[in-house]
Amino acid sequence: DQQVKQNSPSLSVQEGRISILNCDYTNSMFDYFLWYKKYPAEGPTFLISISSIKDKNEDGRFTVFLNKSAKHLSLHIVPSQPGDSAVYFCAASAQGGSEKLVFGKGTKLTVNP
Amino acid sequence: KAGVTQTPRYLIKTRGQQVTLSCSPISGHRSVSWYQQTPGQGLQFLFEYFSETQRNKGNFPGRFSGRQFSNSRSEMNVSTLELGDSALYLCASSLNSAGLYNEQFFGPGTRLTVL
Protein backbone atom coordinates (compact mmCIF):
# COMPACT_ATOMS: atom_id res chain seq x y z
CA ASP A 1 0.00 0.00 0.00
CA GLN A 2 1.64 3.18 -1.18
CA GLN A 3 1.06 5.86 1.43
CA VAL A 4 2.73 8.65 -0.54
CA LYS A 5 2.00 8.92 -4.22
CA GLN A 6 3.50 11.02 -6.96
CA ASN A 7 1.28 10.20 -9.90
CA SER A 8 3.33 11.97 -12.56
CA PRO A 9 6.57 10.11 -13.26
CA SER A 10 7.80 12.97 -15.41
CA LEU A 11 7.21 16.65 -16.14
CA SER A 12 8.68 18.91 -18.79
CA VAL A 13 8.57 22.73 -18.63
CA GLN A 14 10.19 25.67 -20.38
CA GLU A 15 12.83 27.73 -18.65
CA GLY A 16 11.30 30.70 -16.86
CA ARG A 17 7.88 29.11 -16.49
CA ILE A 18 6.35 27.58 -13.38
CA SER A 19 6.91 23.93 -12.45
CA ILE A 20 4.23 22.32 -10.31
CA LEU A 21 4.95 18.92 -8.79
CA ASN A 22 2.15 17.11 -7.00
CA CYS A 23 2.00 14.60 -4.18
CA ASP A 24 -0.89 12.81 -2.49
CA TYR A 25 -0.86 10.89 0.78
CA THR A 26 -3.25 8.52 2.46
CA ASN A 27 -2.06 8.31 6.07
CA SER A 28 -3.79 10.95 8.17
CA MET A 29 -1.10 10.52 10.85
CA PHE A 30 1.46 12.24 8.63
CA ASP A 31 2.11 15.70 9.95
CA TYR A 32 5.41 16.71 8.41
CA PHE A 33 6.21 16.81 4.73
CA LEU A 34 9.43 17.32 2.83
CA TRP A 35 10.60 17.70 -0.73
CA TYR A 36 13.95 16.38 -1.87
CA LYS A 37 15.77 16.80 -5.17
CA LYS A 38 18.00 14.06 -6.51
CA TYR A 39 20.59 14.07 -9.26
CA PRO A 40 21.89 10.79 -10.68
CA ALA A 41 24.63 9.16 -8.59
CA GLU A 42 23.99 11.52 -5.67
CA GLY A 43 21.94 11.30 -2.51
CA PRO A 44 18.70 13.29 -2.20
CA THR A 45 19.14 16.94 -1.27
CA PHE A 46 16.66 18.54 1.10
CA LEU A 47 14.72 21.37 -0.54
CA ILE A 48 11.86 22.53 1.63
CA SER A 49 9.50 21.23 4.28
CA ILE A 50 6.12 22.05 5.78
CA SER A 51 4.39 21.00 8.96
CA SER A 52 0.71 20.24 9.10
CA ILE A 53 -0.04 23.39 11.08
CA LYS A 54 0.77 25.45 8.00
CA ASP A 55 -0.66 25.52 4.51
CA LYS A 56 2.21 27.27 2.76
CA ASN A 57 5.95 27.57 3.10
CA GLU A 58 8.18 29.60 0.84
CA ASP A 59 11.92 29.59 0.30
CA GLY A 60 13.19 31.63 -2.62
CA ARG A 61 11.93 30.14 -5.85
CA PHE A 62 10.39 27.16 -4.05
CA THR A 63 6.96 27.15 -2.43
CA VAL A 64 5.19 24.17 -0.92
CA PHE A 65 1.42 24.15 -0.47
CA LEU A 66 -0.41 21.74 1.81
CA ASN A 67 -4.11 20.92 1.57
CA LYS A 68 -4.81 18.68 4.54
CA SER A 69 -8.46 18.06 3.75
CA ALA A 70 -7.49 16.75 0.32
CA LYS A 71 -4.32 15.07 1.64
CA HIS A 72 -2.43 16.80 -1.13
CA LEU A 73 0.72 18.84 -1.36
CA SER A 74 2.46 20.54 -4.22
CA LEU A 75 5.83 22.08 -4.91
CA HIS A 76 5.96 25.21 -7.07
CA ILE A 77 9.21 26.31 -8.66
CA VAL A 78 9.15 29.81 -10.10
CA PRO A 79 10.90 30.61 -12.35
CA SER A 80 12.16 27.21 -13.44
CA GLN A 81 15.80 26.95 -14.46
CA PRO A 82 17.65 24.23 -16.42
CA GLY A 83 19.63 23.41 -13.25
CA ASP A 84 16.35 22.39 -11.60
CA SER A 85 16.23 19.34 -13.86
CA ALA A 86 16.32 16.39 -11.47
CA VAL A 87 14.08 13.83 -9.81
CA TYR A 88 11.92 15.31 -7.06
CA PHE A 89 10.75 13.19 -4.17
CA CYS A 90 7.94 13.98 -1.80
CA ALA A 91 8.31 12.48 1.70
CA ALA A 92 6.18 12.38 4.80
CA SER A 93 6.59 11.47 8.44
CA ALA A 94 4.38 10.95 11.45
CA GLN A 95 5.97 12.63 14.45
CA GLY A 96 6.43 11.33 17.92
CA GLY A 97 10.19 11.14 17.57
CA SER A 98 10.07 9.04 14.46
CA GLU A 99 12.66 9.77 11.82
CA LYS A 100 11.09 7.34 9.41
CA LEU A 101 10.34 9.03 6.12
CA VAL A 102 7.89 7.55 3.64
CA PHE A 103 8.80 8.56 0.10
CA GLY A 104 6.87 8.83 -3.10
CA LYS A 105 8.43 7.28 -6.19
CA GLY A 106 9.53 10.60 -7.58
CA THR A 107 8.83 12.89 -10.51
CA LYS A 108 11.52 13.56 -13.07
CA LEU A 109 11.51 17.26 -13.93
CA THR A 110 13.10 18.45 -17.14
CA VAL A 111 13.47 22.19 -17.66
CA ASN A 112 14.16 23.00 -21.28
CA PRO A 113 16.24 26.08 -22.18
CA LYS B 1 30.52 21.44 8.17
CA ALA B 2 31.20 18.16 6.38
CA GLY B 3 28.18 16.32 5.02
CA VAL B 4 27.14 12.72 5.46
CA THR B 5 29.78 10.37 4.12
CA GLN B 6 29.32 6.79 3.03
CA THR B 7 31.88 4.15 2.20
CA PRO B 8 32.43 2.43 -0.06
CA ARG B 9 30.71 4.25 -2.93
CA TYR B 10 30.55 1.16 -5.12
CA LEU B 11 30.57 -2.53 -4.29
CA ILE B 12 30.21 -5.71 -6.30
CA LYS B 13 29.42 -8.96 -4.53
CA THR B 14 28.14 -12.40 -5.48
CA ARG B 15 25.04 -14.17 -4.22
CA GLY B 16 25.42 -15.68 -0.79
CA GLN B 17 28.12 -13.29 0.36
CA GLN B 18 27.65 -10.67 3.03
CA VAL B 19 28.43 -6.97 2.93
CA THR B 20 28.98 -4.14 5.40
CA LEU B 21 28.33 -0.52 4.52
CA SER B 22 29.47 2.43 6.59
CA CYS B 23 28.00 5.85 7.26
CA SER B 24 29.41 8.86 9.09
CA PRO B 25 26.73 11.43 9.96
CA ILE B 26 27.06 15.18 10.06
CA SER B 27 28.91 16.25 13.19
CA GLY B 28 26.45 16.67 16.05
CA HIS B 29 23.71 14.61 14.42
CA ARG B 30 22.57 11.75 16.61
CA SER B 31 20.06 9.99 14.41
CA VAL B 32 21.10 7.85 11.45
CA SER B 33 18.60 6.26 9.07
CA TRP B 34 19.17 3.85 6.21
CA TYR B 35 17.16 3.62 2.98
CA GLN B 36 17.22 1.33 -0.02
CA GLN B 37 16.54 2.78 -3.45
CA THR B 38 15.60 0.56 -6.36
CA PRO B 39 14.03 1.52 -9.70
CA GLY B 40 10.85 -0.43 -8.99
CA GLN B 41 10.26 0.38 -5.32
CA GLY B 42 11.73 3.84 -4.97
CA LEU B 43 13.20 4.86 -1.62
CA GLN B 44 12.30 2.50 1.19
CA PHE B 45 13.10 2.91 4.86
CA LEU B 46 15.29 0.19 6.35
CA PHE B 47 15.93 1.28 9.94
CA GLU B 48 16.90 4.18 12.16
CA TYR B 49 19.43 4.33 14.96
CA PHE B 50 19.60 6.84 17.77
CA SER B 51 22.05 6.70 20.67
CA GLU B 52 23.27 3.27 19.59
CA THR B 53 19.74 1.82 19.68
CA GLN B 54 17.54 0.80 16.80
CA ARG B 55 14.48 2.98 17.20
CA ASN B 56 12.53 2.27 14.01
CA LYS B 57 12.53 -0.59 11.57
CA GLY B 58 11.07 -0.97 8.09
CA ASN B 59 9.70 -4.08 6.42
CA PHE B 60 12.89 -5.83 5.43
CA PRO B 61 14.00 -9.38 6.27
CA GLY B 62 16.35 -10.15 9.12
CA ARG B 63 19.25 -10.44 6.67
CA PHE B 64 19.40 -6.66 6.89
CA SER B 65 20.86 -5.41 10.14
CA GLY B 66 22.70 -2.43 11.45
CA ARG B 67 24.33 -0.83 14.40
CA GLN B 68 25.43 2.55 15.64
CA PHE B 69 28.55 3.40 17.55
CA SER B 70 29.04 5.86 20.39
CA ASN B 71 30.33 8.48 17.93
CA SER B 72 27.04 8.14 15.96
CA ARG B 73 28.74 6.43 13.03
CA SER B 74 26.63 3.59 11.71
CA GLU B 75 27.12 0.38 9.79
CA MET B 76 24.64 -1.67 7.85
CA ASN B 77 25.09 -5.35 7.15
CA VAL B 78 23.38 -7.56 4.61
CA SER B 79 23.97 -11.28 4.89
CA THR B 80 23.34 -14.03 2.34
CA LEU B 81 23.07 -11.57 -0.51
CA GLU B 82 20.40 -12.06 -3.17
CA LEU B 83 20.23 -10.60 -6.67
CA GLY B 84 17.33 -8.42 -5.56
CA ASP B 85 19.54 -6.69 -3.00
CA SER B 86 21.23 -4.79 -5.81
CA ALA B 87 20.36 -1.19 -5.05
CA LEU B 88 21.58 2.21 -3.95
CA TYR B 89 21.82 2.26 -0.16
CA LEU B 90 21.43 5.70 1.33
CA CYS B 91 22.23 6.89 4.79
CA ALA B 92 20.67 10.02 6.28
CA SER B 93 21.38 11.87 9.48
CA SER B 94 19.39 14.35 11.51
CA LEU B 95 19.74 16.31 14.73
CA ASN B 96 16.67 14.78 16.28
CA SER B 97 16.20 17.66 18.66
CA ALA B 98 13.23 17.02 20.90
CA GLY B 99 10.19 19.05 19.95
CA LEU B 100 11.50 20.06 16.57
CA TYR B 101 10.81 18.71 13.16
CA ASN B 102 14.02 17.28 11.83
CA GLU B 103 15.16 17.40 8.26
CA GLN B 104 17.22 14.44 7.21
CA PHE B 105 20.41 15.00 5.23
CA PHE B 106 21.50 12.27 2.90
CA GLY B 107 24.88 10.92 1.93
CA PRO B 108 25.81 10.07 -1.68
CA GLY B 109 24.93 6.41 -1.22
CA THR B 110 26.65 3.08 -1.77
CA ARG B 111 25.82 1.36 -5.05
CA LEU B 112 25.69 -2.38 -4.38
CA THR B 113 25.62 -4.82 -7.27
CA VAL B 114 24.99 -8.49 -6.56
CA LEU B 115 26.04 -10.90 -9.32
Side-chain angles (χ1 to χ4, degrees), chain A residues 54-73:
Chain A
K54 294 185 173 183
D55 55 18
K56 177 183 173 181
N57 190 24
E58 199 169 350
D59 184 1
R61 298 185 297 114
F62 302 92
T63 303
V64 57
F65 296 92
L66 175 63
N67 182 334
K68 282 178 293 183
S69 59
K71 292 192 176 69
H72 176 84
L73 64 155

Side-chain angles (χ1 to χ4, degrees), chain B residues 57-104:
Chain B
K57 190 175 187 305
N59 297 323
F60 279 81
R63 300 185 296 107
F64 292 81
S65 63
R67 59 177 176 167
Q68 186 181 35
F69 302 94
S70 58
N71 61 358
S72 293
R73 190 177 71 85
S74 177
E75 287 182 348
M76 187 192 116
N77 185 276
V78 188
S79 62
T80 320
L81 283 165
E82 301 177 359
L83 294 178
D85 296 333
S86 295
L88 180 68
Y89 290 88
L90 292 157
C91 166
S93 74
S94 68
L95 270 172
N96 194 238
S97 302
L100 296 176
Y101 294 102
N102 296 281
E103 289 84 10
Q104 292 187 32

